[in-house]
Amino acid sequence: MTDPRRRIPAVDRLLASEAFSPLLEAAPRVLVVRATQWVQQELRSAIARGTERAAAVDDPAWYARRVAERLEALGRSSLRPAINATGVVLHTNLGRAPLGDAARAAVARVTASYSNLEYDVEAGRRGSRYDHCAGLLAELTGAEAALVVNNNAAAVVLALNTLADGLDAVISRGELVEIGGSFRVPEIMARSGARMVEVGATNRTHADDYAAALSNRTGVVLAVHRSNFRVTGFTADVPLAELVELAHARGVAVVNDLGSGLLVDPAALGLPATEPTAADALRSGADVVTMSGDKLLGGPQAGIVLGRADPVERMRRNPLCRALRVDKMTLAALEATLALYRDPERARRELPALRMLASTADELGDRAEAFVRSLREVGVAATAADGASAVGGGAFPDAELPTTLVLIATDDRSPEDVLAGLRAAEPPVVARIVDDRVALDLRTVFAGEEDALRAAVVEACGEGR
Ligand SMILES: *Cc1c(COP(=O)(O)O)cnc(C)c1O
């Protein structure tokens, strides 16, 4: 028997075939050629692996279908919108906080032309990008000075490198945390040039433990907020204000990695009072406070540094700051996001992440019931059931936000199968499995996405019905 790979038609023959003429009408010839070569190569490899039957190998229509799929895939952006039906509001894998209208408009406005990013318009000379959000941040949090870098991990590295390069950085063993899989305090500390000095125990650290570790080699005391877990039982921590008093008495600065970046009273979002706001941390006397822009603040990815004028200015002058610098799109989005906080009620209304967090159980129940009805109308067996959403982004780990889930009955298909079908939709839908059933949580679904979500469910359940 001859090698089936030798029966693969030449590109020219395929392009001249009737099956390819619609493709050549829709896309430039070079692209069709490249896609055809790709399909041929995939087929050769599949035959070599023994995973493809070679029956249709000389049928141009077979190639045309695959080339059409390839062209469609090439035309799709790698980074594209997705529907978050998980109910996890700050879903790190799905881009954390969606931007509000004001932020998106600001990015469009500032990037479609030149801007005063590093230009002092009044003086007619070079300015600094770091001036743009600094005043607003100081106004909103009571900080003496502020600095914005690329993300919170960068802010922590910059703080440690500035204040403790070659010196001791003292930290409680209860705060050597890992966040989001790749931010680990001991590793970040090592890269910053600071020497980590651990004090206390995993569950209990006392003021005396810190006091004993402070010396003339100490550059900084680092307090890391336990964002994504809780320690319960036989525990002890030193409150930030007490830690500050102790460190300052020895002339040592305190850096507080706050993480989530809460700017409003959590009660206004229906959340427990377990998470400190940036203003709380500053009032406790921390010299430098760092946080993310895209967690509870509801803005773009950014690392926000707040604190006393002297350490913040030293961080700004550190050459490392240049490597961690923030982009103009981020500054535009952040400034517009922060401006909403001048009226906290407006921030709660207009920032999607805050609005989703603040959605009430009643609203979500009504939406879920209506969605279930609309699914039944198109033949999908769905029911509503009580459930819980999550804050995500490593914030409020034990807060359970009451919601109503839309459960899909998938008949003879496995829920994993239906989840895969939902991910194959355009835009892809990410959902979860609850009690062996596909569950949609509308808390994180924008009202304008409901039609696309319904179409994706119908499509994904299609074969099973
Ligand atoms: C999320 C978080 C970080 C990392 O912030 P990024 O903005 O993702 O770099 C660091 N520390 C704490 C306490 C956090 O919660």
Side-chain angles (χ1 to χ4, degrees):
M1 209 171 77
T2 57
D3 185 338
R5 282 174 289 186
R6 300 182 54 186
R7 290 186 8 240
I8 295 176
V11 172
D12 284 346
R13 228 197 82 205
L14 289 171
L15 263 65
S17 72
E18 189 138 352
F20 271 65
S21 69
L23 296 177
L24 287 165
E25 265 163 48
R29 190 180 177 87
V30 281
L31 276 190
V32 179
V33 169
R34 218 173 297 152
T36 306
Q37 288 165 338
W38 184 87
V39 168
Q40 290 178 324
Q41 190 50 46
E42 288 289 294
L43 177 61
R44 276 186 214 107
S45 316
I47 293 172
R49 286 195 308 271
T51 53
E52 177 85 43
R53 285 182 305 114
V57 85
D58 37 24
D59 176 11
W62 185 93
Y63 291 89
R65 279 196 300 278
R66 273 154 190 77
V67 169
E69 280 167 17
R70 176 66 179 163
L71 286 171
E72 199 193 310
L74 288 174
R76 258 200 313 262
S77 299
S78 167
L79 182 60
R80 58 204 162 110
I83 295 178
N84 175 7
T86 64
V88 179
V89 177
L90 301 168
H91 199 304
T92 297
N93 300 153
L94 301 180
R96 288 195 185 154
L99 289 184
D101 293 344
R104 288 187 298 120
V107 173
R109 223 172 24 244
V110 162
T111 53
S113 65
Y114 295 102
S115 67
N116 65 339
L117 178 65
E118 290 190 350
Y119 189 72
D120 182 335
V121 174
E122 227 170 276
R125 58 163 186 260
R126 185 186 180 147
S128 166
R129 72 177 61 218
Y130 300 112
D131 289 340
H132 291 295
C133 291
L136 198 43
L137 281 166
E139 175 195 325
L140 293 170
T141 63
E144 270 178 35
L147 174 68
V148 181
V149 291
N150 190 47
N151 57 11
N152 187 30
V156 174
V157 170
L158 183 61
L160 291 171
N161 180 265
T162 305
L163 303 174
D165 188 19
L167 298 171
D168 291 353
V170 176
I171 183 166
S172 160
R173 287 195 173 86
E175 296 174 7
L176 299 178
V177 304
E178 171 179 307
I179 288 152
S182 51
F183 178 92
R184 292 175 130 187
V185 169
E187 289 164 14
I188 289 281
M189 188 96 87
R191 293 292 163 147
S192 75
R195 209 175 68 86
M196 181 166 78
V197 175
E198 306 167 39
V199 300
T202 306
N203 56 332
R204 289 171 71 85
T205 301
H206 307 282
D208 289 350
D209 297 323
Y210 284 104
L214 297 178
S215 74
N216 56 8
R217 290 186 317 275
T218 309
V220 83
V221 172
L222 177 64
V224 178
H225 181 60
R226 289 189 200 109
S227 306
N228 53 1
F229 70 109
R230 294 262 172 270
V231 180
T232 57
F234 187 53
T235 65
D237 284 307
V238 181
L240 184 60
E242 195 182 323
L243 185 56
V244 166
E245 198 177 324
L246 191 153
H248 283 183
R250 307 280 291 267
V252 173
V254 174
V255 172
N256 182 17
D257 173 13
L258 202 55
S260 79
L262 191 62
L263 288 188
V264 293
D265 179 3
L269 302 173
L271 293 168
T274 50
E275 209 91 351
T277 66
D280 292 338
L282 290 164
R283 261 195 304 275
S284 298
D287 300 271
V288 171
V289 174
T290 72
M291 62 193 201
S292 299
D294 54 353
K295 291 184 179 172
L296 287 168
L297 195 139
Q301 177 188 306
I304 295 170
V305 178
L306 304 165
R308 288 195 302 105
D310 170 63
V312 174
E313 181 55 27
R314 282 170 63 201
M315 288 173 69
R316 180 167 157 166
R317 284 201 314 264
N318 184 335
L320 189 57
C321 187
R322 172 63 180 81
L324 308 173
R325 86 175 180 190
V326 65
D327 171 64
K328 60 176 179 268
M329 292 191 265
T330 304
L331 286 169
L334 184 62
E335 186 179 24
T337 303
L338 290 170
L340 294 175
Y341 278 98
R342 285 186 165 135
D343 174 3
E345 176 50 32
R346 185 155 176 229
R348 203 185 65 80
R349 244 186 359 253
E350 294 187 23
L351 294 175
L354 301 201
R355 201 170 57 224
M356 288 168 176
L357 286 170
S359 302
T360 65
D362 282 350
E363 280 167 51
L364 293 165
D366 290 347
R367 273 183 78 190
E369 297 284 355
F371 199 70
V372 161
R373 277 194 303 277
S374 75
L375 280 175
R376 287 186 182 159
E377 273 164 24
V378 292
V380 175
T383 51
D386 289 346
S389 322
V391 178
F396 293 94
D398 40 19
E400 289 217 337
L401 310 172
T403 191
T404 303
L405 299 172
V406 175
L407 299 177
I408 312 287
T410 53
D411 296 336
D412 50 339
R413 310 194 44 202
S414 74
E416 288 81 6
D417 242 22
V418 174
L419 280 191
L422 289 172
R423 291 198 306 274
E426 192 56 48
V429 173
V430 183
R432 34 178 191 135
I433 295 175
V434 175
D435 294 337
D436 241 15
R437 285 211 271 167
V438 171
L440 310 174
D441 187 340
L442 297 182
R443 183 189 293 275
T444 47
V445 175
F446 289 84
E449 291 174 332
E450 283 190 15
D451 288 346
L453 176 60
R454 189 178 310 104
V457 171
V458 170
E459 180 75 23
C461 293
E463 288 149 46
R465 293 209 325 278

